[in-house]
Amino acid sequence: MNWIDTRHRLPQEDNTAYVVSVTRDNYTFKAIAYFSPGTQEWYYSDKGARGDLITDRVNAWIENLAIYTR
């Protein structure tokens, strides 16, 4: 499991949930989100499905989380 800076690389898979670091104003928090490679936009997870578009800055995403959360 490692954090990937969104300036270096973005996910390539669609319909996969990721843990992301989001910054809104001076507050940074973690969220579950989906990434759309076609539009290169992040969406919040809403009860396991794609929800609202994330309009705040997404700093990083976690890669290989499923390996550690069996």
Side-chain angles (χ1 to χ4, degrees):
M1 175 181 81
N2 52 329
W3 285 96
I4 307 296
D5 192 323
T6 55
R7 291 175 295 180
H8 299 305
R9 183 161 52 97
L10 292 169
Q12 298 301 310
E13 297 182 32
D14 201 4
N15 288 330
T16 300
Y18 296 96
V19 174
V20 295
S21 168
V22 180
T23 298
R24 177 181 295 155
D25 299 324
N26 291 330
Y27 181 65
T28 299
F29 57 94
K30 295 182 191 86
I32 305 297
Y34 290 92
F35 182 72
S36 175
T39 60
Q40 297 209 341
E41 294 178 324
W42 290 94
Y43 296 87
Y44 287 111
S45 174
D46 184 16
K47 297 180 183 173
R50 187 176 291 190
D52 296 334
L53 176 68
I54 298 177
T55 56
D56 304 303
R57 184 178 58 163
V58 177
N59 307 307
W61 56 282
I62 291 182
E63 183 177 55
N64 297 327
L65 182 63
I67 294 171
Y68 298 95
T69 58
R70 290 191 233 182

